[in-house]
PDB file of all heavy atoms in Angstrom:
ATOM      1  N   GLY B  41    -121.130-119.666 -35.532  1.00 97.00           N
ATOM      2  CA  GLY B  41    -122.419-119.509 -36.197  1.00 97.00           C
ATOM      3  C   GLY B  41    -122.413-119.885 -37.669  1.00 97.00           C
ATOM      4  O   GLY B  41    -123.449-119.863 -38.324  1.00 97.00           O
ATOM      5  N   ILE B  43    -121.625-122.740 -40.804  1.00 98.00           N
ATOM      6  CA  ILE B  43    -121.639-124.188 -41.028  1.00 98.00           C
ATOM      7  C   ILE B  43    -120.930-124.536 -42.328  1.00 98.00           C
ATOM      8  O   ILE B  43    -121.197-123.923 -43.370  1.00 98.00           O
ATOM      9  CB  ILE B  43    -123.089-124.734 -41.045  1.00 98.00           C
ATOM     10  CG1 ILE B  43    -123.732-124.575 -39.660  1.00 98.00           C
ATOM     11  CG2 ILE B  43    -123.116-126.204 -41.461  1.00 98.00           C
ATOM     12  CD1 ILE B  43    -125.169-125.054 -39.579  1.00 98.00           C
ATOM     13  N   GLN B  69    -119.162-124.980 -37.339  1.00 98.00           N
ATOM     14  CA  GLN B  69    -119.729-126.322 -37.215  1.00 98.00           C
ATOM     15  C   GLN B  69    -119.716-127.021 -38.559  1.00 98.00           C
ATOM     16  O   GLN B  69    -119.507-126.371 -39.599  1.00 98.00           O
ATOM     17  CB  GLN B  69    -121.166-126.249 -36.679  1.00 98.00           C
ATOM     18  CG  GLN B  69    -121.247-125.776 -35.226  1.00 98.00           C
ATOM     19  CD  GLN B  69    -120.823-126.858 -34.223  1.00 98.00           C
ATOM     20  OE1 GLN B  69    -120.291-127.897 -34.589  1.00 98.00           O
ATOM     21  NE2 GLN B  69    -121.058-126.584 -32.953  1.00 98.00           N
ATOM     22  N   VAL B  70    -119.991-128.328 -38.550  1.00 98.00           N
ATOM     23  CA  VAL B  70    -119.877-129.139 -39.759  1.00 98.00           C
ATOM     24  C   VAL B  70    -121.086-130.057 -39.916  1.00 98.00           C
ATOM     25  O   VAL B  70    -121.536-130.655 -38.932  1.00 98.00           O
ATOM     26  CB  VAL B  70    -118.599-130.015 -39.695  1.00 98.00           C
ATOM     27  CG1 VAL B  70    -118.492-130.925 -40.898  1.00 98.00           C
ATOM     28  CG2 VAL B  70    -117.352-129.142 -39.570  1.00 98.00           C
ATOM     29  N   ILE B  71    -121.629-130.139 -41.110  1.00 98.00           N
ATOM     30  CA  ILE B  71    -122.546-131.224 -41.471  1.00 98.00           C
ATOM     31  C   ILE B  71    -121.946-131.909 -42.696  1.00 98.00           C
ATOM     32  O   ILE B  71    -121.103-131.322 -43.368  1.00 98.00           O
ATOM     33  CB  ILE B  71    -123.987-130.748 -41.780  1.00 98.00           C
ATOM     34  CG1 ILE B  71    -124.001-129.746 -42.950  1.00 98.00           C
ATOM     35  CG2 ILE B  71    -124.631-130.123 -40.561  1.00 98.00           C
ATOM     36  CD1 ILE B  71    -125.422-129.375 -43.411  1.00 98.00           C
ATOM     37  N   GLY B  72    -122.378-133.133 -42.989  1.00 95.00           N
ATOM     38  CA  GLY B  72    -121.812-133.740 -44.177  1.00 95.00           C
ATOM     39  C   GLY B  72    -121.996-135.230 -44.272  1.00 95.00           C
ATOM     40  O   GLY B  72    -122.581-135.852 -43.389  1.00 95.00           O
ATOM     41  N   PHE B  73    -121.543-135.768 -45.402  1.00 92.00           N
ATOM     42  CA  PHE B  73    -121.485-137.222 -45.544  1.00 92.00           C
ATOM     43  C   PHE B  73    -120.093-137.587 -46.019  1.00 92.00           C
ATOM     44  O   PHE B  73    -119.396-136.780 -46.631  1.00 92.00           O
ATOM     45  CB  PHE B  73    -122.569-137.770 -46.474  1.00 92.00           C
ATOM     46  CG  PHE B  73    -122.647-137.134 -47.828  1.00 92.00           C
ATOM     47  CD1 PHE B  73    -121.845-137.578 -48.869  1.00 92.00           C
ATOM     48  CD2 PHE B  73    -123.537-136.095 -48.072  1.00 92.00           C
ATOM     49  CE1 PHE B  73    -121.936-136.998 -50.126  1.00 92.00           C
ATOM     50  CE2 PHE B  73    -123.626-135.500 -49.335  1.00 92.00           C
ATOM     51  CZ  PHE B  73    -122.824-135.960 -50.367  1.00 92.00           C
ATOM     52  N   SER B  78    -124.129-143.361 -47.969  1.00 53.00           N
ATOM     53  CA  SER B  78    -124.890-142.724 -46.909  1.00 53.00           C
ATOM     54  C   SER B  78    -125.614-141.484 -47.411  1.00 53.00           C
ATOM     55  O   SER B  78    -126.226-140.768 -46.669  1.00 53.00           O
ATOM     56  CB  SER B  78    -123.983-142.384 -45.730  1.00 53.00           C
ATOM     57  OG  SER B  78    -123.003-141.463 -46.118  1.00 53.00           O
ATOM     58  N   SER B  79    -125.547-141.268 -48.708  1.00 55.00           N
ATOM     59  CA  SER B  79    -126.150-140.069 -49.266  1.00 55.00           C
ATOM     60  C   SER B  79    -127.334-140.400 -50.153  1.00 55.00           C
ATOM     61  O   SER B  79    -127.195-140.954 -51.227  1.00 55.00           O
ATOM     62  CB  SER B  79    -125.098-139.333 -50.097  1.00 55.00           C
ATOM     63  OG  SER B  79    -125.727-138.424 -50.951  1.00 55.00           O
ATOM     64  N   SER B  80    -128.512-140.043 -49.682  1.00 52.00           N
ATOM     65  CA  SER B  80    -129.706-140.272 -50.496  1.00 52.00           C
ATOM     66  C   SER B  80    -129.725-139.274 -51.635  1.00 52.00           C
ATOM     67  O   SER B  80    -130.546-139.332 -52.536  1.00 52.00           O
ATOM     68  CB  SER B  80    -130.960-140.112 -49.659  1.00 52.00           C
ATOM     69  OG  SER B  80    -131.116-138.769 -49.299  1.00 52.00           O
ATOM     70  N   GLU B  85    -130.899-137.271 -58.128  1.00 83.00           N
ATOM     71  CA  GLU B  85    -130.911-135.817 -58.069  1.00 83.00           C
ATOM     72  C   GLU B  85    -129.682-135.244 -58.764  1.00 83.00           C
ATOM     73  O   GLU B  85    -128.608-135.824 -58.712  1.00 83.00           O
ATOM     74  CB  GLU B  85    -130.923-135.369 -56.606  1.00 83.00           C
ATOM     75  CG  GLU B  85    -131.199-133.888 -56.451  1.00 83.00           C
ATOM     76  CD  GLU B  85    -131.120-133.462 -54.984  1.00 83.00           C
ATOM     77  OE1 GLU B  85    -130.142-133.815 -54.319  1.00 83.00           O
ATOM     78  OE2 GLU B  85    -132.030-132.768 -54.534  1.00 83.00           O
ATOM     79  N   ASP B  89    -129.225-129.372 -58.122  1.00 95.00           N
ATOM     80  CA  ASP B  89    -130.248-129.362 -57.082  1.00 95.00           C
ATOM     81  C   ASP B  89    -129.645-129.632 -55.705  1.00 95.00           C
ATOM     82  O   ASP B  89    -130.036-129.014 -54.716  1.00 95.00           O
ATOM     83  CB  ASP B  89    -131.325-130.421 -57.368  1.00 95.00           C
ATOM     84  CG  ASP B  89    -132.368-129.920 -58.367  1.00 95.00           C
ATOM     85  OD1 ASP B  89    -132.079-128.931 -59.083  1.00 95.00           O
ATOM     86  OD2 ASP B  89    -133.457-130.508 -58.434  1.00 95.00           O
ATOM     87  N   ARG B  92    -127.939-126.542 -54.385  1.00 97.00           N
ATOM     88  CA  ARG B  92    -128.898-125.492 -54.031  1.00 97.00           C
ATOM     89  C   ARG B  92    -129.600-125.805 -52.715  1.00 97.00           C
ATOM     90  O   ARG B  92    -129.961-124.914 -51.956  1.00 97.00           O
ATOM     91  CB  ARG B  92    -129.918-125.288 -55.162  1.00 97.00           C
ATOM     92  CG  ARG B  92    -129.318-124.399 -56.256  1.00 97.00           C
ATOM     93  CD  ARG B  92    -130.316-124.051 -57.319  1.00 97.00           C
ATOM     94  NE  ARG B  92    -130.580-125.216 -58.169  1.00 97.00           N
ATOM     95  CZ  ARG B  92    -131.115-125.137 -59.381  1.00 97.00           C
ATOM     96  NH1 ARG B  92    -131.455-123.957 -59.889  1.00 97.00           N
ATOM     97  NH2 ARG B  92    -131.321-126.212 -60.105  1.00 97.00           N
ATOM     98  N   THR B  93    -129.802-127.093 -52.444  1.00 96.00           N
ATOM     99  CA  THR B  93    -130.400-127.475 -51.164  1.00 96.00           C
ATOM    100  C   THR B  93    -129.390-127.307 -50.030  1.00 96.00           C
ATOM    101  O   THR B  93    -129.712-126.758 -48.972  1.00 96.00           O
ATOM    102  CB  THR B  93    -130.880-128.938 -51.211  1.00 96.00           C
ATOM    103  OG1 THR B  93    -131.641-129.127 -52.396  1.00 96.00           O
ATOM    104  CG2 THR B  93    -131.748-129.254 -50.012  1.00 96.00           C
ATOM    105  N   ILE B  94    -128.181-127.775 -50.270  1.00 97.00           N
ATOM    106  CA  ILE B  94    -127.121-127.637 -49.256  1.00 97.00           C
ATOM    107  C   ILE B  94    -126.941-126.161 -48.888  1.00 97.00           C
ATOM    108  O   ILE B  94    -126.722-125.828 -47.720  1.00 97.00           O
ATOM    109  CB  ILE B  94    -125.781-128.191 -49.803  1.00 97.00           C
ATOM    110  CG1 ILE B  94    -125.867-129.687 -50.083  1.00 97.00           C
ATOM    111  CG2 ILE B  94    -124.623-127.872 -48.851  1.00 97.00           C
ATOM    112  CD1 ILE B  94    -126.124-130.546 -48.894  1.00 97.00           C
ATOM    113  N   CYS B  96    -129.054-124.032 -48.544  1.00 97.00           N
ATOM    114  CA  CYS B  96    -130.078-123.617 -47.560  1.00 97.00           C
ATOM    115  C   CYS B  96    -129.614-123.887 -46.128  1.00 97.00           C
ATOM    116  O   CYS B  96    -130.080-123.255 -45.195  1.00 97.00           O
ATOM    117  CB  CYS B  96    -131.376-124.379 -47.782  1.00 97.00           C
ATOM    118  SG  CYS B  96    -132.142-124.065 -49.364  1.00 97.00           S
ATOM    119  N   TYR B  97    -128.734-124.870 -45.984  1.00 98.00           N
ATOM    120  CA  TYR B  97    -128.351-125.319 -44.639  1.00 98.00           C
ATOM    121  C   TYR B  97    -126.977-124.808 -44.222  1.00 98.00           C
ATOM    122  O   TYR B  97    -126.730-124.598 -43.040  1.00 98.00           O
ATOM    123  CB  TYR B  97    -128.322-126.854 -44.579  1.00 98.00           C
ATOM    124  CG  TYR B  97    -129.582-127.537 -45.062  1.00 98.00           C
ATOM    125  CD1 TYR B  97    -129.522-128.698 -45.824  1.00 98.00           C
ATOM    126  CD2 TYR B  97    -130.842-127.015 -44.744  1.00 98.00           C
ATOM    127  CE1 TYR B  97    -130.670-129.334 -46.258  1.00 98.00           C
ATOM    128  CE2 TYR B  97    -131.993-127.656 -45.186  1.00 98.00           C
ATOM    129  CZ  TYR B  97    -131.904-128.811 -45.945  1.00 98.00           C
ATOM    130  OH  TYR B  97    -133.031-129.433 -46.368  1.00 98.00           O
ATOM    131  N   ALA B  98    -126.066-124.699 -45.191  1.00 98.00           N
ATOM    132  CA  ALA B  98    -124.669-124.414 -44.856  1.00 98.00           C
ATOM    133  C   ALA B  98    -124.212-123.086 -45.445  1.00 98.00           C
ATOM    134  O   ALA B  98    -124.869-122.516 -46.325  1.00 98.00           O
ATOM    135  CB  ALA B  98    -123.785-125.549 -45.366  1.00 98.00           C
ATOM    136  N   ASP B  99    -123.057-122.599 -44.985  1.00 98.00           N
ATOM    137  CA  ASP B  99    -122.518-121.322 -45.438  1.00 98.00           C
ATOM    138  C   ASP B  99    -121.390-121.494 -46.440  1.00 98.00           C
ATOM    139  O   ASP B  99    -121.030-120.551 -47.154  1.00 98.00           O
ATOM    140  CB  ASP B  99    -122.002-120.532 -44.225  1.00 98.00           C
ATOM    141  CG  ASP B  99    -123.099-120.287 -43.216  1.00 98.00           C
ATOM    142  OD1 ASP B  99    -123.980-119.465 -43.517  1.00 98.00           O
ATOM    143  OD2 ASP B  99    -123.117-120.945 -42.161  1.00 98.00           O
TER     144      ASP B  99
ATOM    145  N   SER C  52    -131.178-140.748 -45.335  1.00 89.00           N
ATOM    146  CA  SER C  52    -131.946-139.646 -45.915  1.00 89.00           C
ATOM    147  C   SER C  52    -131.147-138.375 -45.656  1.00 89.00           C
ATOM    148  O   SER C  52    -131.396-137.646 -44.711  1.00 89.00           O
ATOM    149  CB  SER C  52    -133.325-139.549 -45.275  1.00 89.00           C
ATOM    150  OG  SER C  52    -133.973-138.395 -45.777  1.00 89.00           O
ATOM    151  N   THR C  53    -130.172-138.184 -46.508  1.00 90.00           N
ATOM    152  CA  THR C  53    -129.201-137.103 -46.295  1.00 90.00           C
ATOM    153  C   THR C  53    -129.871-135.755 -46.119  1.00 90.00           C
ATOM    154  O   THR C  53    -129.550-134.984 -45.220  1.00 90.00           O
ATOM    155  CB  THR C  53    -128.245-137.015 -47.491  1.00 90.00           C
ATOM    156  OG1 THR C  53    -127.712-138.312 -47.707  1.00 90.00           O
ATOM    157  CG2 THR C  53    -127.099-136.062 -47.193  1.00 90.00           C
ATOM    158  N   ARG C  54    -130.827-135.476 -46.983  1.00 92.00           N
ATOM    159  CA  ARG C  54    -131.488-134.183 -46.973  1.00 92.00           C
ATOM    160  C   ARG C  54    -132.167-133.905 -45.624  1.00 92.00           C
ATOM    161  O   ARG C  54    -131.968-132.850 -45.014  1.00 92.00           O
ATOM    162  CB  ARG C  54    -132.538-134.179 -48.081  1.00 92.00           C
ATOM    163  CG  ARG C  54    -133.300-132.922 -48.271  1.00 92.00           C
ATOM    164  CD  ARG C  54    -134.292-133.167 -49.398  1.00 92.00           C
ATOM    165  NE  ARG C  54    -133.572-133.627 -50.573  1.00 92.00           N
ATOM    166  CZ  ARG C  54    -132.983-132.802 -51.431  1.00 92.00           C
ATOM    167  NH1 ARG C  54    -133.052-131.507 -51.234  1.00 92.00           N
ATOM    168  NH2 ARG C  54    -132.346-133.280 -52.459  1.00 92.00           N
ATOM    169  N   ARG C  56    -131.659-135.440 -42.768  1.00 96.00           N
ATOM    170  CA  ARG C  56    -130.650-135.410 -41.715  1.00 96.00           C
ATOM    171  C   ARG C  56    -129.954-134.056 -41.678  1.00 96.00           C
ATOM    172  O   ARG C  56    -129.808-133.450 -40.612  1.00 96.00           O
ATOM    173  CB  ARG C  56    -129.634-136.538 -41.944  1.00 96.00           C
ATOM    174  CG  ARG C  56    -128.584-136.647 -40.840  1.00 96.00           C
ATOM    175  CD  ARG C  56    -127.755-137.924 -40.960  1.00 96.00           C
ATOM    176  NE  ARG C  56    -126.998-138.030 -42.180  1.00 96.00           N
ATOM    177  CZ  ARG C  56    -125.782-137.484 -42.394  1.00 96.00           C
ATOM    178  NH1 ARG C  56    -125.204-136.770 -41.440  1.00 96.00           N
ATOM    179  NH2 ARG C  56    -125.158-137.649 -43.540  1.00 96.00           N
ATOM    180  N   PHE C  57    -129.530-133.567 -42.838  1.00 97.00           N
ATOM    181  CA  PHE C  57    -128.859-132.263 -42.892  1.00 97.00           C
ATOM    182  C   PHE C  57    -129.754-131.168 -42.333  1.00 97.00           C
ATOM    183  O   PHE C  57    -129.294-130.270 -41.633  1.00 97.00           O
ATOM    184  CB  PHE C  57    -128.509-131.902 -44.338  1.00 97.00           C
ATOM    185  CG  PHE C  57    -127.239-132.529 -44.827  1.00 97.00           C
ATOM    186  CD1 PHE C  57    -126.591-133.517 -44.102  1.00 97.00           C
ATOM    187  CD2 PHE C  57    -126.677-132.132 -46.031  1.00 97.00           C
ATOM    188  CE1 PHE C  57    -125.415-134.098 -44.562  1.00 97.00           C
ATOM    189  CE2 PHE C  57    -125.496-132.699 -46.495  1.00 97.00           C
ATOM    190  CZ  PHE C  57    -124.873-133.680 -45.770  1.00 97.00           C
ATOM    191  N   SER C  58    -131.024-131.230 -42.669  1.00 98.00           N
ATOM    192  CA  SER C  58    -131.939-130.179 -42.232  1.00 98.00           C
ATOM    193  C   SER C  58    -132.030-130.144 -40.709  1.00 98.00           C
ATOM    194  O   SER C  58    -131.981-129.075 -40.083  1.00 98.00           O
ATOM    195  CB  SER C  58    -133.316-130.402 -42.857  1.00 98.00           C
ATOM    196  OG  SER C  58    -134.192-129.372 -42.493  1.00 98.00           O
ATOM    197  N   ALA C  61    -128.443-129.097 -39.260  1.00 98.00           N
ATOM    198  CA  ALA C  61    -128.211-127.661 -39.419  1.00 98.00           C
ATOM    199  C   ALA C  61    -129.102-126.889 -38.448  1.00 98.00           C
ATOM    200  O   ALA C  61    -128.678-125.905 -37.837  1.00 98.00           O
ATOM    201  CB  ALA C  61    -128.483-127.236 -40.856  1.00 98.00           C
ATOM    202  N   LEU C  64    -127.547-127.156 -34.967  1.00 98.00           N
ATOM    203  CA  LEU C  64    -126.283-126.411 -34.895  1.00 98.00           C
ATOM    204  C   LEU C  64    -126.532-124.901 -34.936  1.00 98.00           C
ATOM    205  O   LEU C  64    -125.881-124.138 -34.237  1.00 98.00           O
ATOM    206  CB  LEU C  64    -125.350-126.829 -36.038  1.00 98.00           C
ATOM    207  CG  LEU C  64    -124.872-128.288 -35.998  1.00 98.00           C
ATOM    208  CD1 LEU C  64    -124.098-128.637 -37.267  1.00 98.00           C
ATOM    209  CD2 LEU C  64    -124.016-128.564 -34.765  1.00 98.00           C
ATOM    210  N   ARG C  65    -127.514-124.478 -35.725  1.00 98.00           N
ATOM    211  CA  ARG C  65    -127.822-123.040 -35.809  1.00 98.00           C
ATOM    212  C   ARG C  65    -128.496-122.520 -34.537  1.00 98.00           C
ATOM    213  O   ARG C  65    -128.620-121.313 -34.334  1.00 98.00           O
ATOM    214  CB  ARG C  65    -128.675-122.728 -37.046  1.00 98.00           C
ATOM    215  CG  ARG C  65    -127.907-122.928 -38.345  1.00 98.00           C
ATOM    216  CD  ARG C  65    -128.407-122.085 -39.500  1.00 98.00           C
ATOM    217  NE  ARG C  65    -127.628-122.347 -40.714  1.00 98.00           N
ATOM    218  CZ  ARG C  65    -126.463-121.764 -41.011  1.00 98.00           C
ATOM    219  NH1 ARG C  65    -125.952-120.863 -40.194  1.00 98.00           N
ATOM    220  NH2 ARG C  65    -125.814-122.073 -42.115  1.00 98.00           N
ATOM    221  N   GLN C  69    -125.625-129.273 -30.280  1.00 98.00           N
ATOM    222  CA  GLN C  69    -124.696-130.217 -30.879  1.00 98.00           C
ATOM    223  C   GLN C  69    -125.441-131.468 -31.347  1.00 98.00           C
ATOM    224  O   GLN C  69    -126.606-131.668 -30.972  1.00 98.00           O
ATOM    225  CB  GLN C  69    -123.609-130.608 -29.872  1.00 98.00           C
ATOM    226  CG  GLN C  69    -122.657-129.462 -29.532  1.00 98.00           C
ATOM    227  CD  GLN C  69    -121.653-129.173 -30.657  1.00 98.00           C
ATOM    228  OE1 GLN C  69    -121.761-129.683 -31.766  1.00 98.00           O
ATOM    229  NE2 GLN C  69    -120.680-128.336 -30.351  1.00 98.00           N
ATOM    230  N   GLU C  75    -126.820-144.417 -41.304  1.00 79.00           N
ATOM    231  CA  GLU C  75    -127.332-145.615 -41.961  1.00 79.00           C
ATOM    232  C   GLU C  75    -127.165-146.802 -41.033  1.00 79.00           C
ATOM    233  O   GLU C  75    -126.347-146.793 -40.133  1.00 79.00           O
ATOM    234  CB  GLU C  75    -126.655-145.871 -43.294  1.00 79.00           C
ATOM    235  CG  GLU C  75    -125.175-145.630 -43.323  1.00 79.00           C
ATOM    236  CD  GLU C  75    -124.614-145.884 -44.732  1.00 79.00           C
ATOM    237  OE1 GLU C  75    -125.300-146.479 -45.564  1.00 79.00           O
ATOM    238  OE2 GLU C  75    -123.466-145.516 -44.971  1.00 79.00           O
ATOM    239  N   PRO C 268    -136.231-134.517 -53.110  1.00 89.00           N
ATOM    240  CA  PRO C 268    -135.613-134.160 -54.388  1.00 89.00           C
ATOM    241  C   PRO C 268    -136.565-134.327 -55.574  1.00 89.00           C
ATOM    242  O   PRO C 268    -137.404-135.219 -55.571  1.00 89.00           O
ATOM    243  CB  PRO C 268    -134.479-135.174 -54.485  1.00 89.00           C
ATOM    244  CG  PRO C 268    -134.948-136.366 -53.727  1.00 89.00           C
ATOM    245  CD  PRO C 268    -135.786-135.814 -52.612  1.00 89.00           C
ATOM    246  N   ARG C 269    -136.418-133.471 -56.558  1.00 88.00           N
ATOM    247  CA  ARG C 269    -137.192-133.633 -57.784  1.00 88.00           C
ATOM    248  C   ARG C 269    -136.332-134.420 -58.745  1.00 88.00           C
ATOM    249  O   ARG C 269    -135.100-134.374 -58.681  1.00 88.00           O
ATOM    250  CB  ARG C 269    -137.517-132.276 -58.390  1.00 88.00           C
ATOM    251  CG  ARG C 269    -136.264-131.527 -58.772  1.00 88.00           C
ATOM    252  CD  ARG C 269    -136.250-130.941 -60.142  1.00 88.00           C
ATOM    253  NE  ARG C 269    -135.134-129.969 -60.171  1.00 88.00           N
ATOM    254  CZ  ARG C 269    -135.225-128.771 -60.695  1.00 88.00           C
ATOM    255  NH1 ARG C 269    -136.360-128.379 -61.258  1.00 88.00           N
ATOM    256  NH2 ARG C 269    -134.191-127.965 -60.687  1.00 88.00           N
ATOM    257  N   ASP C 278    -136.879-123.239 -62.857  1.00 97.00           N
ATOM    258  CA  ASP C 278    -136.145-122.772 -61.674  1.00 97.00           C
ATOM    259  C   ASP C 278    -135.979-121.256 -61.639  1.00 97.00           C
ATOM    260  O   ASP C 278    -135.961-120.645 -60.570  1.00 97.00           O
ATOM    261  CB  ASP C 278    -134.745-123.412 -61.606  1.00 97.00           C
ATOM    262  CG  ASP C 278    -134.811-124.927 -61.432  1.00 97.00           C
ATOM    263  OD1 ASP C 278    -135.924-125.467 -61.288  1.00 97.00           O
ATOM    264  OD2 ASP C 278    -133.749-125.564 -61.464  1.00 97.00           O
ATOM    265  N   PHE C 286    -136.753-124.311 -53.459  1.00 97.00           N
ATOM    266  CA  PHE C 286    -135.494-124.256 -52.692  1.00 97.00           C
ATOM    267  C   PHE C 286    -135.671-123.402 -51.437  1.00 97.00           C
ATOM    268  O   PHE C 286    -135.144-123.730 -50.372  1.00 97.00           O
ATOM    269  CB  PHE C 286    -134.335-123.789 -53.573  1.00 97.00           C
ATOM    270  CG  PHE C 286    -133.971-124.784 -54.638  1.00 97.00           C
ATOM    271  CD1 PHE C 286    -134.200-124.520 -55.980  1.00 97.00           C
ATOM    272  CD2 PHE C 286    -133.446-126.025 -54.290  1.00 97.00           C
ATOM    273  CE1 PHE C 286    -133.901-125.463 -56.957  1.00 97.00           C
ATOM    274  CE2 PHE C 286    -133.142-126.976 -55.256  1.00 97.00           C
ATOM    275  CZ  PHE C 286    -133.368-126.696 -56.600  1.00 97.00           C
ATOM    276  N   ALA C 289    -137.025-125.488 -48.771  1.00 97.00           N
ATOM    277  CA  ALA C 289    -136.026-126.260 -48.016  1.00 97.00           C
ATOM    278  C   ALA C 289    -135.481-125.421 -46.865  1.00 97.00           C
ATOM    279  O   ALA C 289    -135.235-125.935 -45.768  1.00 97.00           O
ATOM    280  CB  ALA C 289    -134.894-126.707 -48.938  1.00 97.00           C
ATOM    281  N   LYS C 290    -135.321-124.141 -47.103  1.00 98.00           N
ATOM    282  CA  LYS C 290    -134.804-123.258 -46.056  1.00 98.00           C
ATOM    283  C   LYS C 290    -135.843-123.118 -44.927  1.00 98.00           C
ATOM    284  O   LYS C 290    -135.484-123.171 -43.746  1.00 98.00           O
ATOM    285  CB  LYS C 290    -134.455-121.887 -46.648  1.00 98.00           C
ATOM    286  CG  LYS C 290    -133.637-121.042 -45.710  1.00 98.00           C
ATOM    287  CD  LYS C 290    -132.519-120.329 -46.447  1.00 98.00           C
ATOM    288  CE  LYS C 290    -131.439-119.879 -45.493  1.00 98.00           C
ATOM    289  NZ  LYS C 290    -130.252-119.378 -46.186  1.00 98.00           N
ATOM    290  N   MET C 293    -135.654-125.931 -42.548  1.00 98.00           N
ATOM    291  CA  MET C 293    -134.674-125.814 -41.465  1.00 98.00           C
ATOM    292  C   MET C 293    -135.222-124.918 -40.352  1.00 98.00           C
ATOM    293  O   MET C 293    -135.113-125.251 -39.165  1.00 98.00           O
ATOM    294  CB  MET C 293    -133.360-125.254 -42.004  1.00 98.00           C
ATOM    295  CG  MET C 293    -132.292-125.108 -40.941  1.00 98.00           C
ATOM    296  SD  MET C 293    -130.735-124.480 -41.628  1.00 98.00           S
ATOM    297  CE  MET C 293    -131.175-122.772 -41.982  1.00 98.00           C
TER     298      MET C 293
END
Side-chain angles (χ1 to χ4, degrees):
Chain B
I43 294 179
Q69 292 285 10
V70 177
I71 59 173
F73 53 85
S78 63
S79 162
S80 69
E85 191 183 49
D89 278 18
R92 279 186 287 199
T93 311
I94 296 297
C96 297
Y97 308 140
D99 301 288
Chain C
S52 174
T53 308
R54 182 181 305 276
R56 184 169 62 84
F57 278 10
S58 182
L64 295 173
R65 292 206 181 276
Q69 292 285 10
E75 41 182 346
R269 62 132 165 225
D278 296 356
F286 292 111
K290 193 138 199 171
M293 180 179 71

